[in-house]
Amino acid sequence: MRPVTGEGPEQLGFEGMPERLFVCTPSKLTAYEDCPRRYRFAYFDRPAPPKGPPWAHNSLGASVHTALRNWFGLPPQRRRPEVLPTLLKATWVREGYRDEAQEREVFRRALGWLESYVETLDPGAEPLGVERVIGARTSVLALNGRADRIDSRVGPDGPEAVIVDYKTGRAGVGPDDARGSRALALYAYAAQRVFRRPCRRVELHHLPTGTVAAYEHTSESIARQVGRAEQTAKDIVAAERAVAAGADPEQAFPTRPGSWCAWCDYRRVCPAGANAPAREPWAAVETAPLAGQRPGSGAFDDLGIA
């Protein structure tokens, strides 16, 4: 049975006419590369199949990201650690936790991360963008995405833009993670065009450990990442066209089963994913605070979170 897709294939121009650009975000491209079937469920099938329950680690990440966005939204003189309990409470997403006790413990853990992290920041520094949507075009892509932060720094040839991405997962980050991140490279590609200044440095800031993994791109390394993104887009368009022409969606968008199936939003509706061991929504936050991290100074009870 063919899915109802609503919008149809992403690109289907007329013969002899230029192809439409493939509109995408880095996460859209990554979804296909990780598992074409997951891409189909998320972006192609309409109506989309139901997702599983919300994940606590997504709630945690969203809460911390929004708290940092709001911290930078304050006047410089108010960017102080003392405001963080109120900021985090205001942005806290409560979905996915096992129970209230776990939610309280994770809140305190997250507050400790934030308090440690802002001590490394200059309150008076104004980024070029915070959760800034940036975009750029190539001959294949109409790319857009939301960068966590874009810093303005002085490089060897003058002002530069630097891409900063926050990480809140249990796994640490290293230089290979920064080097291999296509999303960061695509953000750098777009930032150069939006801000009309060089953007070569990309950084992953891992809040649980306070570590920063950085990579200095070259024009060639960014071009390689853009080229790979364009190839992924072409593969997606070919699969969508095949389904539009009558191909079996299961064949056009095959699954790539693996350990990640246990964490997939569509595990319950995917025959391959259903065989993966189920993960509880709170499994990824069920861990002791990392060494060297202090608990948050703000009390969960005092913030009025029941």
Side-chain angles (χ1 to χ4, degrees):
M1 179 178 175
R2 287 176 57 190
V4 178
T5 60
E7 298 177 357
E10 188 73 31
Q11 304 175 352
L12 277 180
F14 295 100
E15 185 176 356
M17 294 184 64
E19 294 281 358
R20 289 174 53 197
L21 297 181
F22 184 80
V23 180
C24 65
T25 61
S27 60
K28 185 176 182 179
L29 297 172
T30 300
Y32 182 84
E33 292 169 346
D34 288 346
C35 179
R37 184 169 296 170
R38 180 163 72 91
Y39 172 92
R40 177 188 136 206
F41 288 155
Y43 296 101
F44 189 64
D45 285 2
R46 292 296 179 268
K51 292 183 177 183
W55 299 96
H57 58 273
N58 287 342
S59 296
L60 169 61
S63 302
V64 170
H65 279 68
T66 309
L68 282 171
R69 181 197 67 191
N70 293 345
W71 191 83
F72 278 105
L74 295 172
Q77 64 272 19
R78 292 188 57 203
R79 295 176 190 164
R80 302 178 58 82
E82 293 78 27
V83 305
L84 288 170
T86 301
L87 291 180
L88 185 59
K89 182 257 182 178
T91 67
W92 189 250
V93 181
R94 308 194 63 186
E95 297 177 318
Y97 295 101
R98 180 189 61 234
D99 51 30
E100 183 178 304
Q102 184 186 57
E103 184 184 357
R104 291 170 182 267
E105 190 278 324
V106 174
F107 180 93
R108 295 189 183 101
R109 193 191 313 167
L111 183 56
W113 299 345
L114 288 168
E115 289 173 338
S116 295
Y117 183 66
V118 300
E119 288 180 352
T120 70
L121 302 177
D122 176 2
E126 293 293 347
L128 291 171
V130 176
E131 292 203 10
R132 169 72 182 265
V133 175
I134 52 177
R137 296 187 176 197
T138 74
S139 60
V140 176
L141 303 173
L143 172 73
N144 68 86
R146 189 186 302 273
D148 289 346
R149 198 172 88 224
I150 306 171
D151 283 352
S152 176
R153 302 184 194 170
V154 178
D157 301 318
E160 294 184 352
V162 175
I163 303 297
V164 174
D165 191 62
Y166 307 130
K167 294 298 179 185
T168 58
R170 290 186 295 186
V173 295
D176 287 346
D177 298 299
R179 177 183 59 82
S181 172
R182 178 167 312 158
L184 296 186
L186 294 177
Y187 288 145
Y189 175 83
Q192 289 186 114
R193 285 148 182 80
V194 171
F195 297 107
R196 300 186 181 278
R197 61 171 71 184
C199 184
R200 292 180 286 263
R201 184 177 177 86
V202 298
E203 297 179 351
L204 294 171
H205 291 201
H206 189 238
L207 272 67
T209 58
T211 57
V212 174
Y215 183 72
E216 292 280 346
H217 275 288
T218 63
S219 298
E220 292 76 18
S221 65
I222 290 178
R224 285 194 296 270
Q225 292 283 23
V226 171
R228 291 168 186 159
E230 290 178 330
Q231 184 56 57
T232 297
K234 292 175 182 178
D235 293 343
I236 293 171
V237 171
E240 292 180 345
R241 284 178 168 171
V243 174
D248 182 356
E250 301 294 316
Q251 297 296 322
F253 292 93
T255 187
R256 290 181 183 155
S259 59
W260 48 84
C261 290
W263 303 97
C264 182
D265 287 332
Y266 301 102
R267 187 187 69 83
R268 296 181 180 181
V269 297
C270 176
N275 294 324
R279 295 279 188 175
E280 297 291 356
W282 55 83
V285 301
E286 203 164 36
T287 180
L290 293 163
Q293 289 297 304
R294 68 188 183 204
S297 61
F300 195 93
D301 293 326
D302 293 344
L303 294 174
I305 301 178

